[in-house]
Amino acid sequence: MLELESLSVGQYGFINNVFSFGLAVMASSTLFVWLMKGSVAPAYRMAMVITGLVTAIAGYHYLQIMLSWQGAATINTGEVLVTGEGFNRAYRYVDWLLTVPLLLIELILVMKLSKSDTMSRSVKLGGAAALMIILGYPGEVSSEVGTRALFWILAMIPFLYIVREMVVGLKDSIARQPDEVKGLINAAAILLVVSWAFYPIVYLLPLVGITGGSAIVAVETGYTIADIVSKAVFAMLIFLIAVRKSAADERELVAEAAKQGEQKTPVKKVA
Amino acid sequence: MLELESLSVGQYGFINNVFSFGLAVMASSTLFVWLMKGSVAPAYRMAMVITGLVTAIAGYHYLQIMLSWQGAATINTGEVLVTGEGFNRAYRYVDWLLTVPLLLIELILVMKLSKSDTMSRSVKLGGAAALMIILGYPGEVSSEVGTRALFWILAMIPFLYIVREMVVGLKDSIARQPDEVKGLINAAAILLVVSWAFYPIVYLLPLVGITGGSAIVAVETGYTIADIVSKAVFAMLIFLIAVRKSAADERELVAEAAKQGEQKTPVKKVA
């Protein structure tokens, strides 16, 4: 279990503030994309709604994590005393089980692929993401090193599949995107892969004997930063992509209409 | 640490009411700008959304600050007794880390500069603002006079950069604004600089030996007033600017259409 008593009062308070910061960022990001939904074309509004859902779910879990943290210890005469309630780290897994598949679906939706492609990629990537989280959980709650290592390896299989799909599998689809969003979509895919790579590293820390107050601070701050990058910063990228694609689609529509207008004129003259 | 026990019961209750007032003002300001979002032109809606986000984030932190205040002491037979949980002053920093960069971005967005100018100013000013808050934090939580003084000086560097940008850097951009908003935008920039100048002064109070019950009342009331001026009063200015600029843009559009109409008429006559 977590040795909360190895924390100083300052460290205990700092982690509380980190959780509160996470909650505030996630809630702000949610409100931003939902309130700005009207400024993207209808085709991209489902991507906006799901982008906001991911951060809303994450915000809810940061509230739960913060309350669990506050209930797990009290401060008395300058010392952190555990209450025995325990700090519920599993909230992170409950969060990821919902948000990680949705994050991949966000990216697929904003690309506006064909209907069948959207469906098959959502099922494959979303399924792999859910499987990755489910396989990670038994190792996270186990205190045995062997169990932790085994489930780390098992969870890495769907993780590597997702990385491969992001880096190689999406290449053709990204190449067909309008020029002004190619760079952004690439950046979003890379942001996901890089920020997600942080989690399996943190997962291994207890295996290599990194424990104590500073380790708890590092793990909780690290997870929170990774969550903010992969969800809220990612949300801003998805929003920007949706805005630019809305503009590109409209330009294409106008060009198409102008072309049809030109074609009509000679036809009429001939008639 | 804060000597809460030097407060009278009346003072302890008064500060609680100040925090509750801050929460009510921030929440009202948020609801106002979001509900009025539809009455400004689409180009200014992102400024409205972010203006509301700033006060929403501040409202959330006033709730947290108030709950922390209530948990930090109890009242027993006419005396304030600390519980040992401590009053978490750091919530203000968590708030500022998010809201101070966003306040600058609000002002930039409502000016509707060119895309590249908007982006570069947001990054520079937002980054300087975040740096200022991060540099202030270690001094705020330290009980050593030297550390407090050192980080005050470090945080003043990005602060002075922001002041310079507000007063000198924005001059040309303000000069290009429509006449009816020039005064308001100038007022908004000055309001920011003046209300922000209050924070480094309060920060220094413990250094000059001002402590005790009255000092706590002065600091917490002062910070709250400064927050209300720089966020909620500022929000009303931003809203007014957006309304006037929407009207100015429409007038310009109508004038442009009339001009094109005039040009068309002679062409038709010739034909």
Side-chain angles (χ1 to χ4, degrees):
Chain A
M1 286 310 290
L2 263 184
E3 305 130 349
L4 284 186
E5 295 197 339
S6 61
L7 290 165
S8 71
V9 172
Q11 287 175 325
Y12 179 73
F14 178 78
I15 294 178
N16 178 74
N17 297 342
V18 167
F19 293 150
S20 180
F21 180 74
L23 164 55
V25 171
M26 296 301 178
S28 307
S29 178
T30 302
L31 290 166
F32 179 81
V33 292
W34 283 349
L35 287 166
M36 292 302 294
K37 182 166 68 90
S39 36
V40 304
Y44 303 103
R45 292 197 186 145
M46 200 198 278
M48 288 297 97
V49 169
I50 291 184
T51 301
L53 268 185
V54 166
T55 45
I57 295 165
Y60 163 72
H61 286 108
Y62 269 98
L63 175 63
Q64 289 282 44
I65 289 170
M66 185 178 71
L67 294 176
S68 171
W69 184 256
Q70 290 171 354
T74 51
I75 293 178
N76 210 313
T77 59
E79 273 190 59
V80 176
L81 300 174
V82 299
T83 57
E85 299 274 326
F87 171 52
N88 186 356
R89 303 175 74 184
Y91 281 128
R92 291 205 184 273
Y93 277 80
V94 184
D95 177 71
W96 295 337
L97 187 56
L98 280 164
T99 55
V100 171
L102 288 175
L103 278 168
L104 294 167
I105 293 170
E106 262 177 51
L107 184 63
I108 294 164
L109 280 176
V110 87
M111 290 176 74
K112 208 173 79 173
L113 307 171
S114 72
K115 268 185 193 163
S116 63
D117 214 14
T118 300
M119 190 56 92
S120 78
R121 279 182 198 274
S122 295
V123 170
K124 278 194 288 182
L125 284 170
L131 187 67
M132 169 176 83
I133 304 302
I134 291 168
L135 286 172
Y137 185 74
E140 177 75 54
V141 296
S142 167
S143 51
E144 279 179 46
V145 169
T147 313
R148 199 170 180 93
L150 171 69
F151 283 98
W152 184 84
I153 293 167
L154 290 177
M156 282 305 276
I157 301 167
F159 177 65
L160 291 175
Y161 167 76
I162 294 167
V163 171
R164 201 199 135 278
E165 278 298 298
M166 287 283 117
V167 177
V168 183
L170 282 180
K171 219 169 207 171
D172 289 351
S173 307
I174 292 176
R176 280 193 298 274
Q177 295 288 316
D179 281 337
E180 60 262 65
V181 296
K182 266 181 199 154
L184 277 178
I185 293 184
N186 238 325
I190 289 168
L191 185 86
L192 264 198
V193 168
V194 170
S195 62
W196 288 15
F198 183 80
Y199 300 92
I201 295 170
V202 174
Y203 191 97
L204 282 180
L205 290 183
L207 281 187
V208 293
I210 295 176
T211 49
S214 307
I216 299 174
V217 172
V219 167
E220 297 303 336
T221 309
Y223 269 148
T224 307
I225 293 172
D227 274 350
I228 287 173
V229 172
S230 65
K231 295 187 174 84
V233 176
F234 186 71
M236 294 308 108
L237 280 181
I238 296 289
F239 170 70
L240 262 181
I241 294 167
V243 167
R244 290 207 193 160
K245 285 200 75 174
S246 301
D249 287 0
E250 206 188 315
R251 209 170 45 242
E252 203 177 289
L253 220 70
V254 169
E256 190 71 24
K259 216 166 127 193
Q260 284 189 350
E262 271 169 31
Q263 283 175 338
K264 263 178 196 162
T265 327
V267 170
K268 268 182 187 167
K269 271 178 186 164
V270 168
Chain B
M1 286 309 289
L2 263 184
E3 305 129 350
L4 284 186
E5 293 197 339
S6 62
L7 290 165
S8 72
V9 172
Q11 286 174 326
Y12 179 73
F14 177 77
I15 294 178
N16 180 73
N17 298 342
V18 167
F19 294 151
S20 180
F21 180 74
L23 165 54
V25 171
M26 296 301 178
S28 308
S29 179
T30 303
L31 290 167
F32 179 78
V33 292
W34 283 350
L35 288 167
M36 293 303 291
K37 182 166 69 90
S39 34
V40 304
Y44 303 104
R45 292 200 185 140
M46 200 196 278
M48 288 297 98
V49 169
I50 291 184
T51 301
L53 267 186
V54 166
T55 45
I57 294 166
Y60 164 72
H61 285 108
Y62 270 98
L63 175 64
Q64 287 282 46
I65 288 169
M66 186 179 71
L67 294 176
S68 172
W69 184 256
Q70 291 171 353
T74 51
I75 293 178
N76 210 312
T77 59
E79 272 188 59
V80 176
L81 299 174
V82 298
T83 58
E85 296 278 326
F87 171 52
N88 186 355
R89 302 174 76 185
Y91 280 129
R92 290 206 186 271
Y93 277 79
V94 184
D95 177 70
W96 295 336
L97 187 56
L98 281 165
T99 55
V100 172
L102 288 175
L103 279 168
L104 295 167
I105 293 170
E106 263 177 50
L107 183 62
I108 294 163
L109 280 176
V110 88
M111 290 176 75
K112 207 173 81 174
L113 308 171
S114 73
K115 264 184 198 168
S116 62
D117 214 17
T118 299
M119 190 58 91
S120 78
R121 281 181 197 275
S122 295
V123 171
K124 279 193 287 182
L125 285 170
L131 188 68
M132 170 176 83
I133 304 302
I134 291 168
L135 286 173
Y137 184 78
E140 177 74 55
V141 296
S142 166
S143 50
E144 278 178 46
V145 169
T147 312
R148 200 171 180 91
L150 171 70
F151 283 98
W152 183 85
I153 293 166
L154 290 178
M156 282 306 276
I157 300 168
F159 177 66
L160 292 174
Y161 167 76
I162 293 168
V163 170
R164 201 200 136 278
E165 277 298 298
M166 286 284 116
V167 177
V168 184
L170 281 180
K171 220 169 205 170
D172 288 352
S173 307
I174 292 176
R176 280 193 299 274
Q177 295 288 316
D179 282 338
E180 59 263 67
V181 296
K182 267 181 196 151
L184 277 178
I185 293 183
N186 238 325
I190 291 168
L191 185 87
L192 264 199
V193 168
V194 171
S195 62
W196 286 15
F198 182 79
Y199 300 91
I201 296 169
V202 174
Y203 191 97
L204 283 180
L205 291 184
L207 280 187
V208 295
I210 296 176
T211 49
S214 306
I216 299 173
V217 172
V219 166
E220 296 305 334
T221 309
Y223 269 148
T224 306
I225 293 171
D227 274 350
I228 288 173
V229 172
S230 65
K231 295 187 174 86
V233 176
F234 185 71
M236 293 310 109
L237 280 180
I238 297 290
F239 171 70
L240 262 182
I241 294 167
V243 168
R244 290 206 194 162
K245 286 200 76 173
S246 301
D249 287 0
E250 206 187 316
R251 211 169 44 242
E252 202 176 291
L253 220 70
V254 169
E256 188 72 22
K259 216 167 129 192
Q260 284 190 348
E262 270 167 30
Q263 284 173 335
K264 264 181 197 162
T265 328
V267 171
K268 267 184 187 165
K269 271 176 186 164
V270 168

